[in-house]
Amino acid sequence: MAAEPMLGLLLECRLEPLGERIIVLRDPRREMIGGLHVADVAQSETDTGVVIAVGAVKWLAPGDRVVFGVHSGDQLPAEFQEDPKNPRLVTMGEAEV
C-alpha cells in the first residue's frame, strides 16, 4: 500500500477525543482487485485504519493500526475531512476496536 500523504500531518494534529474515544483514519475501500470489480456483498465485514488521536485509552497510541466493524464509529464533520465526498476520519469508542 502506498504511504498516506496526509498521515504524518494528521498524526501531528491537535484533535483530542473525550473520554474513552479514539479518532481513526479509515483505510480506503478497495473496489477493484486485479482489474475486477469487487461486489459489496463480497467485501469484508471488518475495516482497518490508523489511530490518529486517543482520549483516555491506555492501550492504544497514535500510529497504531486497528481493525473494527464496517459500520463502527461516527464520521467527523466535513471540515475535518481531506475529501468531504469520501469521508475517512471517524471517531469511535474503545470497545468498537
XYZ file of all heavy atoms in Angstrom:
733
model
N 0.838 -1.173 0.000
C 0.000 0.000 0.000
C 0.883 1.237 0.000
O 1.874 1.316 0.702
C -0.898 -0.018 1.244
C -1.726 1.235 1.375
S -2.615 1.360 2.940
C -3.816 0.097 2.724
N 0.513 2.229 -0.775
C 1.270 3.471 -0.833
C 1.117 4.227 0.476
O 0.117 4.120 1.166
C 0.763 4.326 -1.993
N 2.132 5.012 0.815
C 2.084 5.798 2.046
C 0.993 6.854 1.950
O 0.767 7.442 0.903
C 3.443 6.450 2.287
N 0.299 7.064 3.047
C -0.753 8.090 3.108
C -0.113 9.462 3.102
O 0.695 9.772 3.971
C -1.556 7.927 4.409
C -2.589 6.876 4.364
C -3.768 7.254 3.496
O -4.045 8.448 3.297
O -4.402 6.335 3.009
N -0.465 10.330 2.147
C 0.144 11.660 2.110
C -0.249 12.517 3.300
O 0.529 13.334 3.755
C -0.386 12.255 0.802
C -1.579 11.445 0.447
C -1.373 10.095 1.046
N -1.445 12.330 3.846
C -1.917 13.157 4.954
C -1.630 12.549 6.320
O -1.850 13.186 7.333
C -3.430 13.383 4.821
C -3.856 14.219 3.648
S -3.375 15.935 3.837
C -4.410 16.432 5.195
N -1.133 11.308 6.377
C -0.991 10.616 7.645
C -0.064 11.348 8.606
O -0.401 11.538 9.776
C -0.515 9.183 7.426
C -0.440 8.308 8.664
C -1.784 8.252 9.369
C 0.013 6.917 8.294
N 1.091 11.777 8.140
C 2.028 12.493 9.008
C 1.422 13.763 9.562
O 1.554 14.067 10.750
N 0.716 14.505 8.728
C 0.072 15.737 9.159
C -1.025 15.448 10.178
O -1.154 16.134 11.191
C -0.506 16.481 7.956
C -1.156 17.822 8.228
C -0.120 18.807 8.749
C -1.792 18.354 6.964
N -1.805 14.396 9.933
C -2.891 14.056 10.855
C -2.366 13.586 12.202
O -2.968 13.855 13.237
C -3.784 12.977 10.237
C -4.683 13.459 9.108
C -5.341 12.274 8.414
C -5.735 14.410 9.625
N -1.245 12.871 12.209
C -0.685 12.410 13.471
C -0.203 13.569 14.329
O -0.113 13.444 15.547
C 0.460 11.420 13.222
C 0.028 10.040 12.747
C 1.249 9.214 12.351
C -0.785 9.314 13.799
N 0.104 14.705 13.707
C 0.551 15.877 14.448
C -0.600 16.820 14.810
O -0.382 17.841 15.426
C 1.582 16.651 13.622
C 2.847 15.865 13.385
C 3.805 16.583 12.449
O 3.542 17.751 12.093
O 4.805 15.971 12.081
N -1.820 16.460 14.438
C -2.954 17.345 14.670
C -3.258 17.485 16.154
O -2.805 16.716 16.976
C -4.194 16.863 13.906
S -4.953 15.422 14.646
N -4.052 18.457 16.481
C -4.368 18.768 17.868
C -5.759 18.293 18.281
O -6.279 18.736 19.281
C -4.253 20.267 18.104
C -2.888 20.829 17.799
C -1.938 20.577 18.947
N -0.676 21.243 18.690
C 0.468 20.608 18.663
N 0.518 19.331 18.847
N 1.576 21.253 18.442
N -6.375 17.404 17.508
C -7.680 16.879 17.885
C -7.521 15.976 19.107
O -6.643 15.126 19.148
C -8.291 16.066 16.735
C -8.657 16.834 15.475
C -9.123 15.865 14.399
C -9.736 17.845 15.771
N -8.365 16.184 20.114
C -8.310 15.367 21.317
C -9.695 14.812 21.614
O -10.577 15.548 22.033
C -7.816 16.192 22.504
C -6.367 16.594 22.401
C -5.879 17.299 23.652
O -6.376 16.994 24.754
O -5.005 18.159 23.515
N -9.894 13.514 21.402
C -11.187 12.923 21.714
C -11.416 12.910 23.226
O -10.470 12.815 24.006
C -11.099 11.507 21.164
C -9.716 11.321 20.691
C -8.967 12.584 20.824
N -12.670 13.000 23.625
C -13.012 12.997 25.044
C -13.252 11.573 25.527
O -13.705 10.712 24.774
C -14.270 13.832 25.280
C -14.162 15.304 24.892
C -15.506 15.988 25.045
C -13.104 15.996 25.731
N -12.974 11.335 26.786
C -13.250 10.036 27.397
C -12.490 8.918 26.715
O -11.357 9.080 26.276
N -13.139 7.771 26.635
C -12.510 6.585 26.040
C -12.841 6.474 24.561
O -13.338 5.457 24.080
C -12.947 5.340 26.806
C -12.449 5.329 28.231
C -12.863 4.103 28.995
O -13.754 3.358 28.529
O -12.291 3.874 30.062
N -12.556 7.530 23.820
C -12.812 7.552 22.380
C -11.501 7.733 21.639
O -10.512 8.219 22.188
C -13.798 8.667 22.035
C -15.141 8.420 22.714
C -16.269 9.192 22.144
N -16.607 8.970 20.758
C -17.333 7.964 20.287
N -17.773 7.029 21.087
N -17.626 7.882 19.006
N -11.493 7.331 20.365
C -10.320 7.480 19.513
C -10.761 8.049 18.168
O -11.933 7.978 17.814
C -9.588 6.124 19.294
C -10.504 5.111 18.592
C -9.060 5.576 20.595
C -9.815 3.823 18.213
N -9.812 8.633 17.445
C -10.051 9.098 16.075
C -9.201 8.231 15.164
O -8.006 8.038 15.400
C -9.699 10.582 15.908
C -10.605 11.427 16.808
C -9.847 11.006 14.450
C -10.277 12.904 16.805
N -9.850 7.685 14.113
C -9.198 6.741 13.210
C -9.310 7.240 11.779
O -10.360 7.741 11.368
C -9.862 5.343 13.326
C -9.281 4.379 12.310
C -9.713 4.797 14.729
N -8.225 7.110 11.017
C -8.238 7.355 9.579
C -8.496 6.009 8.923
O -7.637 5.126 8.917
C -6.917 7.943 9.097
C -6.804 8.167 7.593
C -7.814 9.204 7.122
C -5.393 8.591 7.232
N -9.713 5.830 8.406
C -10.129 4.575 7.788
C -9.334 4.360 6.492
O -9.144 5.278 5.704
C -11.623 4.647 7.487
C -12.251 3.381 7.004
C -13.718 3.593 6.672
N -14.507 4.125 7.756
C -15.267 3.383 8.565
N -15.322 2.095 8.401
N -15.956 3.957 9.520
N -8.844 3.145 6.275
C -8.145 2.810 5.033
C -9.116 2.920 3.850
O -10.311 2.647 4.008
C -7.573 1.397 5.094
C -6.401 1.288 6.055
O -5.776 2.316 6.353
O -6.121 0.161 6.505
N -8.627 3.301 2.671
C -9.516 3.390 1.501
C -10.115 2.026 1.169
O -9.450 0.998 1.298
C -8.617 3.866 0.365
C -7.300 4.178 0.954
C -7.256 3.641 2.337
N -11.367 2.031 0.751
C -12.031 0.787 0.348
C -11.475 0.352 -0.998
O -11.267 1.170 -1.893
C -13.543 0.988 0.231
C -14.220 1.442 1.487
C -14.430 0.384 2.498
N -15.358 -0.626 2.022
C -15.614 -1.719 2.691
N -15.022 -1.934 3.838
N -16.442 -2.605 2.223
N -11.235 -0.946 -1.149
C -10.752 -1.487 -2.422
C -11.957 -1.974 -3.207
O -12.612 -2.926 -2.806
C -9.772 -2.624 -2.181
C -8.482 -2.123 -1.547
C -7.508 -3.226 -1.354
N -7.170 -3.797 -2.652
C -6.356 -4.813 -2.810
N -5.800 -5.369 -1.771
N -6.091 -5.285 -4.008
N -12.239 -1.297 -4.296
C -13.365 -1.700 -5.136
C -12.906 -2.501 -6.342
O -13.702 -3.162 -6.986
C -14.151 -0.474 -5.579
C -14.801 0.242 -4.406
C -15.600 1.435 -4.826
O -15.842 1.600 -6.034
O -15.994 2.211 -3.953
N -11.607 -2.428 -6.643
C -11.056 -3.176 -7.775
C -9.878 -4.005 -7.283
O -9.026 -3.510 -6.560
C -10.576 -2.228 -8.868
C -11.634 -1.326 -9.454
S -12.762 -2.170 -10.545
C -11.757 -2.396 -11.977
N -9.862 -5.268 -7.661
C -8.728 -6.135 -7.359
C -8.324 -6.802 -8.663
O -9.102 -7.535 -9.255
C -9.076 -7.200 -6.298
C -9.408 -6.525 -4.968
C -7.930 -8.182 -6.132
C -9.822 -7.482 -3.877
N -7.140 -6.511 -9.117
C -6.654 -7.105 -10.363
C -7.518 -6.767 -11.557
O -7.668 -7.571 -12.464
N -8.129 -5.575 -11.564
C -8.971 -5.164 -12.675
C -10.402 -5.662 -12.587
O -11.223 -5.354 -13.446
N -10.730 -6.429 -11.537
C -12.095 -6.929 -11.367
C -12.807 -6.137 -10.282
O -12.231 -5.839 -9.236
C -12.071 -8.415 -10.972
C -11.432 -9.360 -11.983
C -11.338 -10.750 -11.398
C -12.218 -9.366 -13.268
N -14.073 -5.825 -10.521
C -14.877 -5.106 -9.545
C -15.299 -6.062 -8.431
O -15.763 -7.160 -8.698
C -16.128 -4.509 -10.211
C -17.006 -3.781 -9.265
N -16.665 -2.564 -8.735
C -18.213 -4.101 -8.733
C -17.623 -2.163 -7.924
N -18.580 -3.080 -7.904
N -15.108 -5.651 -7.170
C -15.494 -6.466 -6.027
C -16.861 -6.002 -5.541
O -17.030 -4.842 -5.158
C -14.463 -6.351 -4.888
C -14.893 -7.174 -3.683
C -13.094 -6.777 -5.371
N -17.838 -6.883 -5.573
C -19.194 -6.542 -5.151
C -19.225 -6.255 -3.656
O -18.415 -6.774 -2.885
C -20.144 -7.684 -5.479
N -20.200 -5.430 -3.231
C -20.327 -5.077 -1.822
C -20.521 -6.300 -0.941
O -20.008 -6.359 0.170
C -21.494 -4.113 -1.616
C -21.207 -2.733 -2.185
O -20.017 -2.391 -2.320
O -22.160 -2.004 -2.479
N -21.273 -7.285 -1.415
C -21.520 -8.475 -0.596
C -20.271 -9.309 -0.403
O -20.178 -10.074 0.550
C -22.647 -9.348 -1.197
C -23.966 -8.621 -1.159
C -22.315 -9.786 -2.594
N -19.279 -9.155 -1.270
C -18.043 -9.927 -1.155
C -17.010 -9.234 -0.279
O -16.022 -9.850 0.114
C -17.453 -10.173 -2.538
N -17.239 -7.957 0.024
C -16.277 -7.244 0.847
C -16.450 -7.636 2.305
O -17.524 -8.000 2.758
C -16.427 -5.741 0.657
C -16.020 -5.302 -0.732
C -16.124 -3.805 -0.924
O -16.465 -3.075 -0.015
N -15.844 -3.358 -2.133
N -15.407 -7.560 3.049
C -15.371 -7.988 4.440
C -16.288 -7.144 5.327
O -16.595 -6.002 5.019
C -13.929 -7.877 4.929
O -13.848 -8.135 6.295
N -16.695 -7.722 6.445
C -17.496 -7.013 7.437
C -16.619 -6.210 8.385
O -17.131 -5.544 9.271
C -18.357 -8.000 8.231
C -19.465 -8.615 7.417
C -20.494 -7.598 6.935
O -20.872 -6.709 7.720
O -20.889 -7.674 5.763
N -15.300 -6.306 8.216
C -14.387 -5.530 9.051
C -13.632 -4.533 8.182
O -13.541 -4.678 6.975
C -13.374 -6.434 9.777
O -12.616 -7.149 8.815
C -14.077 -7.396 10.708
N -13.121 -3.515 8.837
C -12.355 -2.480 8.157
C -11.091 -2.240 8.966
O -11.000 -2.654 10.124
C -13.187 -1.206 8.059
C -12.925 -0.423 6.791
O -11.916 -0.713 6.120
O -13.711 0.463 6.472
N -10.119 -1.568 8.394
C -8.875 -1.268 9.090
C -8.587 0.217 8.983
O -9.124 0.912 8.127
C -7.686 -2.053 8.489
O -7.578 -1.727 7.108
C -7.865 -3.547 8.659
N -7.708 0.690 9.857
C -7.331 2.090 9.826
C -6.170 2.363 10.762
O -5.654 1.457 11.425
N -5.778 3.635 10.814
C -4.674 4.085 11.653
C -5.223 5.031 12.705
O -5.982 5.950 12.396
C -3.599 4.813 10.808
C -2.482 5.338 11.684
C -3.058 3.892 9.735
N -4.833 4.818 13.958
C -5.254 5.687 15.053
C -4.560 7.035 14.899
O -3.349 7.109 14.749
C -4.917 5.058 16.424
C -5.251 6.015 17.555
C -5.631 3.736 16.596
N -5.353 8.107 14.926
C -4.819 9.467 14.787
C -4.671 10.139 16.141
O -3.695 10.818 16.413
C -5.742 10.313 13.874
C -5.853 9.681 12.492
C -5.264 11.757 13.782
C -4.541 9.511 11.771
N -5.673 9.959 17.019
C -5.648 10.570 18.343
C -6.406 9.683 19.310
O -7.326 8.973 18.924
C -6.276 11.963 18.292
N -6.017 9.715 20.585
C -6.680 8.912 21.612
C -7.078 9.796 22.781
O -6.417 10.781 23.090
C -5.784 7.757 22.119
C -5.489 6.781 21.015
C -4.502 8.272 22.720
N -8.179 9.420 23.427
C -8.615 10.100 24.646
C -7.977 9.411 25.847
O -6.764 9.280 25.926
N -8.819 8.915 26.756
C -8.337 8.255 27.973
C -8.156 6.759 27.749
O -8.514 5.955 28.595
C -9.316 8.518 29.106
N -7.598 6.380 26.623
C -7.371 4.974 26.294
C -5.891 4.675 26.517
O -5.030 5.316 25.933
C -7.760 4.680 24.824
C -7.499 3.238 24.472
C -9.217 5.046 24.587
N -5.599 3.701 27.360
C -4.209 3.423 27.734
C -3.500 2.463 26.783
O -2.296 2.502 26.640
C -4.165 2.821 29.149
C -4.807 3.694 30.192
C -3.847 4.725 30.678
C -4.445 5.470 31.851
N -4.423 6.871 31.737
N -4.227 1.582 26.120
C -3.589 0.531 25.338
C -3.420 0.858 23.862
O -2.912 0.048 23.103
C -4.337 -0.786 25.520
C -5.778 -0.746 25.115
C -6.821 -0.293 25.860
C -6.332 -1.164 23.880
N -7.996 -0.398 25.166
C -7.721 -0.938 23.939
C -5.798 -1.698 22.721
C -8.569 -1.227 22.881
C -6.662 -1.994 21.681
C -8.027 -1.769 21.779
N -3.839 2.048 23.426
C -3.650 2.483 22.044
C -2.848 3.765 22.015
O -2.894 4.554 22.953
C -5.002 2.730 21.365
C -5.792 1.509 20.925
C -7.164 1.926 20.433
C -5.058 0.747 19.845
N -2.135 3.969 20.913
C -1.357 5.198 20.732
C -1.501 5.653 19.280
O -1.784 4.837 18.395
C 0.118 4.935 21.048
N -1.346 6.946 19.019
C -1.387 7.411 17.628
C -0.378 6.650 16.773
O 0.746 6.401 17.183
C -1.021 8.892 17.740
C -1.465 9.276 19.116
C -1.186 8.055 19.958
N -0.826 6.234 15.586
C 0.018 5.476 14.678
C -0.270 3.983 14.700
O 0.145 3.263 13.799
N -0.984 3.498 15.733
C -1.332 2.074 15.805
C -2.345 1.734 14.715
O -3.230 2.520 14.414
C -1.943 1.722 17.165
C -0.932 1.715 18.293
O 0.278 1.812 18.009
O -1.364 1.615 19.456
N -2.250 0.528 14.155
C -3.237 0.036 13.186
C -4.285 -0.750 13.946
O -3.955 -1.505 14.862
C -2.574 -0.836 12.134
C -1.599 -0.028 11.269
C -1.319 -0.624 9.923
N -2.474 -0.921 9.117
C -3.166 -0.026 8.392
N -2.831 1.230 8.441
N -4.182 -0.397 7.650
N -5.563 -0.556 13.594
C -6.663 -1.215 14.283
C -7.632 -1.839 13.281
O -7.679 -1.449 12.115
C -7.426 -0.232 15.200
C -6.564 0.202 16.368
C -7.917 0.978 14.425
N -8.400 -2.815 13.755
C -9.448 -3.472 12.985
C -10.762 -3.187 13.696
O -10.842 -3.260 14.926
C -9.209 -4.992 12.908
C -10.342 -5.683 12.176
C -7.884 -5.288 12.239
N -11.804 -2.851 12.929
C -13.096 -2.519 13.507
C -14.185 -2.859 12.506
O -13.913 -3.134 11.339
C -13.150 -1.038 13.904
C -12.704 -0.099 12.816
C -13.602 0.425 11.914
C -11.367 0.239 12.694
C -13.189 1.269 10.907
C -10.940 1.096 11.693
C -11.852 1.615 10.794
N -15.438 -2.852 12.955
C -16.567 -3.150 12.090
C -16.775 -2.069 11.043
O -16.477 -0.898 11.272
N -17.302 -2.459 9.890
C -17.515 -1.523 8.783
C -18.414 -0.366 9.200
O -18.208 0.777 8.803
C -18.120 -2.265 7.566
C -18.523 -1.299 6.474
C -17.134 -3.269 7.022
N -19.409 -0.641 10.031
C -20.360 0.393 10.432
C -20.031 1.012 11.787
O -20.861 1.700 12.367
C -21.771 -0.185 10.443
C -22.164 -0.743 9.111
N -22.412 0.067 8.021
C -22.308 -2.013 8.676
C -22.711 -0.692 6.977
N -22.652 -1.959 7.343
N -18.827 0.786 12.305
C -18.423 1.334 13.599
C -18.100 2.815 13.485
O -17.662 3.292 12.451
C -17.183 0.613 14.128
O -17.453 -0.732 14.366
N -18.298 3.515 14.573
C -17.881 4.907 14.678
C -18.816 5.898 14.017
O -19.803 5.541 13.383
N -18.482 7.171 14.215
C -19.225 8.293 13.647
C -18.262 9.135 12.826
O -17.147 9.415 13.262
C -19.819 9.166 14.757
C -20.767 8.386 15.650
O -21.670 7.736 15.103
O -20.590 8.434 16.882
N -18.693 9.557 11.641
C -17.837 10.383 10.786
C -17.634 11.760 11.408
O -18.551 12.322 11.991
C -18.467 10.560 9.415
C -18.561 9.282 8.631
C -19.255 9.493 7.294
O -19.633 10.601 6.945
N -19.416 8.429 6.558
N -16.424 12.281 11.287
C -16.165 13.644 11.711
C -16.787 14.599 10.701
O -16.977 14.234 9.539
C -14.659 13.890 11.815
C -14.042 13.674 13.200
C -14.160 12.246 13.640
C -12.636 14.136 13.240
N -17.093 15.827 11.108
C -17.689 16.805 10.177
C -16.808 17.040 8.953
O -15.602 16.814 8.972
C -17.794 18.077 11.021
C -17.808 17.604 12.433
C -16.969 16.357 12.455
N -17.431 17.540 7.891
C -16.760 17.713 6.593
C -15.521 18.597 6.670
O -14.563 18.368 5.939
C -17.743 18.290 5.573
N -15.493 19.587 7.558
C -14.319 20.478 7.603
C -13.061 19.768 8.095
O -11.956 20.268 7.912
C -14.587 21.725 8.457
C -14.949 21.452 9.881
C -16.452 21.453 10.126
O -17.236 21.352 9.179
O -16.825 21.550 11.302
N -13.202 18.592 8.704
C -12.044 17.822 9.146
C -11.624 16.757 8.135
O -10.609 16.107 8.316
C -12.333 17.139 10.490
C -12.527 18.102 11.616
C -13.787 18.314 12.145
C -11.462 18.803 12.138
C -13.975 19.197 13.184
C -11.636 19.694 13.172
C -12.895 19.895 13.699
N -12.392 16.571 7.088
C -12.129 15.514 6.110
C -11.230 16.026 4.989
O -11.368 17.168 4.546
C -13.439 14.995 5.509
C -14.421 14.456 6.514
C -13.981 13.137 7.139
O -13.057 12.471 6.677
N -14.655 12.757 8.203
N -10.322 15.174 4.533
C -9.459 15.511 3.390
C -10.308 15.648 2.128
O -10.111 16.546 1.329
C -8.406 14.421 3.216
C -7.468 14.654 2.059
C -6.483 13.506 1.903
O -6.588 12.490 2.611
O -5.601 13.639 1.050
N -11.248 14.735 1.945
C -12.162 14.747 0.806
C -13.577 14.560 1.352
O -13.969 13.443 1.677
C -11.810 13.611 -0.168
C -12.732 13.540 -1.370
O -13.551 14.461 -1.549
O -12.618 12.562 -2.131
N -14.373 15.633 1.469
C -15.716 15.522 2.053
C -16.627 14.539 1.322
O -17.561 14.016 1.907
C -16.266 16.943 1.964
C -15.071 17.821 1.874
C -14.027 17.012 1.150
N -16.357 14.259 0.041
C -17.187 13.310 -0.706
C -16.845 11.865 -0.338
O -17.618 10.957 -0.599
C -17.019 13.521 -2.207
C -17.557 14.855 -2.662
C -17.338 15.057 -4.132
C -17.814 16.449 -4.528
N -17.489 16.763 -5.899
N -15.667 11.649 0.236
C -15.226 10.321 0.647
C -14.667 10.417 2.068
O -13.460 10.331 2.272
C -14.170 9.796 -0.326
C -13.738 8.388 0.004
O -14.448 7.649 0.663
N -12.546 8.025 -0.434
N -15.543 10.609 3.065
C -15.053 10.814 4.437
C -14.393 9.558 4.998
O -14.918 8.463 4.874
C -16.324 11.166 5.214
C -17.437 10.632 4.404
C -16.977 10.623 2.978
N -13.204 9.736 5.587
C -12.457 8.602 6.133
C -12.116 8.765 7.604
O -11.720 7.817 8.251
C -11.187 8.386 5.321
C -11.497 7.920 3.900
C -10.267 7.784 3.034
N -9.177 7.105 3.691
C -7.905 7.367 3.436
N -7.579 8.275 2.554
N -6.954 6.714 4.058
N -12.219 9.984 8.144
C -11.931 10.192 9.554
C -13.167 9.872 10.374
O -14.240 10.439 10.148
C -11.515 11.638 9.816
C -10.075 11.989 9.500
C -9.846 13.482 9.692
C -9.110 11.207 10.361
N -13.026 8.956 11.326
C -14.142 8.563 12.176
C -13.702 8.604 13.633
O -12.518 8.426 13.943
C -14.681 7.162 11.833
C -15.316 7.136 10.463
C -13.594 6.121 11.918
N -14.658 8.833 14.516
C -14.402 8.738 15.951
C -15.219 7.570 16.472
O -16.332 7.319 16.006
C -14.763 10.047 16.673
O -14.490 9.881 18.074
C -16.203 10.444 16.478
N -14.627 6.811 17.381
C -15.324 5.636 17.893
C -14.868 5.369 19.322
O -13.840 5.867 19.758
C -15.078 4.414 17.020
C -13.644 3.966 16.930
S -13.397 2.587 15.776
C -13.737 3.356 14.226
N -15.677 4.577 20.008
C -15.344 4.183 21.371
C -14.287 3.090 21.389
O -14.119 2.348 20.418
N -13.632 2.986 22.509
C -12.580 1.976 22.685
C -13.124 0.568 22.455
O -12.432 -0.278 21.893
C -12.032 2.120 24.113
C -11.108 1.043 24.554
C -10.710 1.202 26.005
O -11.407 1.872 26.777
O -9.663 0.633 26.360
N -14.353 0.312 22.847
C -14.942 -1.034 22.726
C -15.232 -1.428 21.280
O -15.424 -2.601 20.988
C -16.219 -1.104 23.541
N -15.264 -0.465 20.350
C -15.557 -0.771 18.958
C -14.345 -1.290 18.195
O -14.470 -1.716 17.051
C -16.127 0.468 18.251
C -17.460 0.908 18.810
C -17.995 2.120 18.087
O -18.485 1.948 16.958
O -17.906 3.233 18.659
N -13.180 -1.220 18.794
C -11.928 -1.665 18.156
C -11.687 -3.114 18.491
O -11.844 -3.545 19.602
C -10.743 -0.799 18.605
C -9.447 -1.314 18.029
C -10.959 0.635 18.209
